[in-house]
């Protein structure tokens, strides 16, 4: 049976040679490739500083520390995301304040951000309705930050979010882990808030295997973040001296060299992913039970991380997934809402119905096989088998209802 991988990195001899170059040196950590990768990526997005780390999750954690989030402090964010964007708040014992998302883009809704921050600033019972259910009678601290997520490579509507933050003296942390190369009103993602994080897992626009990058224009934060990623050492510290509590979040030289090679090809890599998305858009244009990705008017450049469709009634997303799997085509739900993850349900008392738009997207969104190395023939095959799977899923549902 013909199959197509769910995702695949786009690697050439340029990347392989870069790795071999490192192996011909004695420097495998804290070396010139890390510095070069930081400079190249920061220049690409238009930021003054880049701080390489070993994952996007690590970058988000350190950004939360830079925002001075401590125990009980509040960070407004999205429940429609990969779980790391909320977990990073918990690492510093803060409280994630979820607000629902825009039904078209899946990005955080600025009007709900405004409402939540306004109520929380006023305090009282109105404020407590925004807290997680299990914490509504508990102590809470100060509002510290807004953490919007650029879902699937499309920037959130940042202008109103940043305006709200400035009014309230809040820090804006961009989770741009899925959005390298995207633009909002002709401005690159990563330069829209105070600090931003990119990630380089193998399914991302570029890969370092594992890895991430924080970007900012703030020199003071840059020094802090470089200390925090390196076990709390400061530049003036002697060997094995540590100024502050830090972490082992360094990116190694092999990964950085891979990142440098990928950055040499960044425009090619983004263009290839855009071409695959265009093929899918064309093949699925007339499928009535499919809603293709919707690009906001504020998105002046989409950076395709995944290709996610929404399955319309009477088709059932999970049934379609099963039919695709039987036909040899992998697919994934994107995303399972964070507030419905077992840990968040147990710790915070969240339940279905708390964020209805997020839940509807979580129930209907389906990621199809996607990467820059997917061929046009593979897109044809996936699209045709998706059509067949929709028909079979509906037939099976009707037969089940008749029993």
């Amino acid at each position: 049976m013909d199959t197509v991988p769910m995702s695949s990195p786009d690697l050439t001899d340029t990347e392989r040679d870069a790795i071999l170059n490192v192996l011909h040196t004695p420097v495998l950590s804290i070396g010139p490739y890390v510095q070069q990768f930081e400079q190249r990526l920061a220049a690409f997005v238009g930021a003054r500083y880049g701080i390489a780390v070993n994952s996007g999750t690590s970058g988000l954690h350190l950004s939360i520390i830079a925002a001075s989030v401590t125990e009980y402090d509040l960070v407004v964010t999205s429940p429609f995301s990969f779980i790391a964007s909320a977990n990073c708040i918990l690492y510093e014992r803060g409280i994630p304040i979820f607000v629902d998302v825009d039904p078209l883009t899946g990005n955080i809704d600025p009007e709900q951000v405004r409402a939540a921050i306004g109520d929380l600033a006023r305090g009282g019972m109105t404020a407590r309705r925004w807290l997680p259910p299990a914490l509504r009678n508990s102590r809470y601290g100060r509002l510290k930050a807004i953490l919007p997520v650029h879902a699937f490579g499309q920037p959130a509507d940042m202008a109103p979010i940043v305006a709200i933050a400035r009014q309230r003296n809040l820090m804006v942390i961009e989770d741009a882990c899925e959005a390298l190369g995207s633009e909002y009103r002709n401005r690159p993602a990563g330069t829209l808030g105070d600090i931003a994080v990119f990630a380089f897992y193998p399914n991302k626009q570029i890969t370092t295997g594992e890895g991430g990058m924080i970007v900012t224009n703030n020199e003071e934060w840059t020094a802090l973040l470089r200390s925090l990623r390196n076990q709390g050492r400061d530049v003036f510290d002697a060997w094995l001296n540590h100024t502050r509590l830090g972490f082992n979040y360094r990116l190694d030289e092999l990964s950085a060299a891979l990142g440098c090679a990928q950055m040499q090809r960044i425009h090619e890599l983004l263009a290839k992913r855009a071409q695959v998305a265009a093929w899918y858009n064309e093949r699925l244009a007339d499928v009535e039970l499919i809603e293709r990705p919707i690009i906001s008017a504020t998105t002046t450049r989409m950076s395709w991380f995944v290709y996610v469709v929404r399955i319309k009634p009477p088709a059932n997303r999970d049934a379609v997934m099963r039919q695709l799997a039987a036909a040899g085509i992998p697919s994934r739900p994107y995303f399972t809402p964070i507030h419905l993850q077992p840990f968040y349900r147990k710790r915070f008392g969240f339940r279905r119905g708390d964020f209805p738009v997020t839940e509807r997207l979580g129930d209907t969104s389906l990621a199809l096989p996607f990467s820059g190395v997917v061929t046009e023939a593979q897109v044809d095959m996936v699209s045709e088998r998706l059509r067949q799977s929709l028909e079979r899923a509906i037939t099976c549902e009707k037969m089940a209802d008749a029993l």
Side-chain angles (χ1 to χ4, degrees), residues 80 100-107 152 291 308-311 317 333-337 355-366:
F80 189 65
D100 220 337
V101 298
D102 179 274
L104 299 181
T105 66
N107 283 325
F152 306 152
E291 182 180 289
V308 177
V309 299
R310 296 172 191 166
I311 306 299
R317 192 272 313 277
Y334 256 74
F335 293 103
T336 300
F355 303 99
V357 178
T358 291
E359 291 161 21
R360 184 166 69 251
L361 297 182
D363 290 341
T364 60
S365 296
L366 181 67

Side-chain angles (χ1 to χ4, degrees), residues 144-212:
K144 288 290 183 67
I146 308 172
L147 197 160
V149 179
H150 302 325
F152 306 152
Q154 174 159 220
D157 190 1
M158 292 296 292
I161 291 170
V162 172
I164 296 162
R166 297 297 172 257
Q167 292 167 5
R168 301 288 183 177
N169 196 30
L170 304 176
M171 183 167 160
V172 178
I173 302 168
E174 289 178 73
D175 181 344
C177 290
E178 299 177 356
L180 180 65
S182 68
E183 293 180 358
Y184 171 84
R185 297 180 177 178
N186 296 310
R187 291 184 58 196
T191 64
L192 305 170
D194 298 298
I195 195 166
V197 182
F198 297 99
F200 312 122
Y201 191 71
N203 64 347
K204 296 295 198 301
Q205 289 88 342
I206 70 167
T207 186
T208 57
E210 298 276 1

Side-chain angles (χ1 to χ4, degrees), residues 203-220:
N203 64 347
K204 296 295 198 301
Q205 289 88 342
I206 70 167
T207 186
T208 57
E210 298 276 1
M213 185 80 71
I214 310 167
V215 295
T216 184
N217 291 333
N218 188 306
E219 185 175 7
E220 182 178 343

Side-chain angles (χ1 to χ4, degrees), residues 322-343:
R322 290 192 292 270
Q323 293 295 330
L324 280 171
I329 304 297
S331 60
R332 299 286 186 274
Y334 256 74
F335 293 103
T336 300
I338 296 176
H339 70 284
L340 297 182
Q341 297 281 0
F343 171 79

Side-chain angles (χ1 to χ4, degrees), residues 5-301:
M6 189 66 208
S7 66
S8 181
D10 188 335
L11 303 175
T12 67
D13 285 343
T14 299
E15 286 81 4
R16 286 181 277 273
D17 289 345
I19 296 295
L20 288 174
N21 286 339
V22 177
L23 294 177
H24 283 103
T25 78
V27 182
L28 299 183
S29 181
I30 320 180
Y33 280 103
V34 168
Q35 184 177 12
Q36 185 181 142
F37 184 36
E38 291 174 338
Q39 292 169 347
R40 286 187 180 182
L41 192 131
F44 175 73
V45 302
R48 290 180 63 190
Y49 305 106
I51 303 95
V53 288
N54 59 9
S55 71
T57 304
S58 300
L60 289 169
H61 181 198
L62 297 188
S63 298
I64 288 291
I65 296 174
S68 301
V69 175
T70 57
E71 190 168 19
Y72 305 120
D73 284 341
L74 311 180
V75 179
V76 176
T77 191
S78 167
F80 189 65
S81 175
F82 182 63
I83 200 167
S85 59
N87 283 355
C88 66
I89 302 165
L90 301 185
Y91 297 158
E92 294 303 307
R93 300 181 181 272
I95 301 172
I97 302 298
F98 292 133
V99 302
D100 220 337
V101 298
D102 179 274
L104 299 181
T105 66
N107 283 325
I108 195 167
D109 183 345
E111 289 308 309
Q112 294 218 29
V113 172
R114 188 187 309 278
I117 288 175
D119 287 347
L120 288 164
R122 283 187 290 271
M125 292 307 299
T126 304
R128 291 189 176 274
R129 73 185 181 95
W130 294 100
L131 295 173
L135 302 183
R136 285 176 185 163
N137 294 318
S138 302
R139 171 186 172 188
Y140 66 91
R142 296 177 55 199
L143 273 166
K144 288 290 183 67
I146 308 172
L147 197 160
V149 179
H150 302 325
F152 306 152
Q154 174 159 220
D157 190 1
M158 292 296 292
I161 291 170
V162 172
I164 296 162
R166 297 297 172 257
Q167 292 167 5
R168 301 288 183 177
N169 196 30
L170 304 176
M171 183 167 160
V172 178
I173 302 168
E174 289 178 73
D175 181 344
C177 290
E178 299 177 356
L180 180 65
S182 68
E183 293 180 358
Y184 171 84
R185 297 180 177 178
N186 296 310
R187 291 184 58 196
T191 64
L192 305 170
D194 298 298
I195 195 166
V197 182
F198 297 99
F200 312 122
Y201 191 71
N203 64 347
K204 296 295 198 301
Q205 289 88 342
I206 70 167
T207 186
T208 57
E210 298 276 1
M213 185 80 71
I214 310 167
V215 295
T216 184
N217 291 333
N218 188 306
E219 185 175 7
E220 182 178 343
W221 289 344
T222 300
L224 170 66
L225 294 165
R226 287 181 173 158
S227 172
L228 289 170
R229 74 173 175 187
N230 189 26
Q231 301 283 18
R233 295 185 181 99
D234 264 337
V235 291
F236 50 80
D237 281 343
W239 179 245
L240 298 184
N241 285 1
H242 306 266
T243 297
R244 58 181 56 83
L245 176 66
F247 308 89
N248 186 3
Y249 285 173
R250 296 184 302 268
L251 187 70
D252 65 275
E253 282 286 281
L254 293 164
S255 299
L258 179 55
C260 288
Q262 291 261 282
M263 286 303 297
Q264 291 179 29
R265 302 175 55 221
I266 182 64
H267 296 292
E268 171 200 349
L269 295 173
L270 293 174
K272 290 170 74 173
R273 297 172 83 92
Q275 177 61 78
V276 176
W279 287 332
Y280 270 126
N281 279 337
E282 180 182 341
R283 271 57 168 188
L284 299 176
D286 63 345
V287 183
E288 293 183 358
L289 296 178
I290 290 289
E291 182 180 289
R292 295 172 298 163
I294 295 171
I295 309 302
S296 170
T298 60
T299 299
T300 46
R301 184 178 187 182

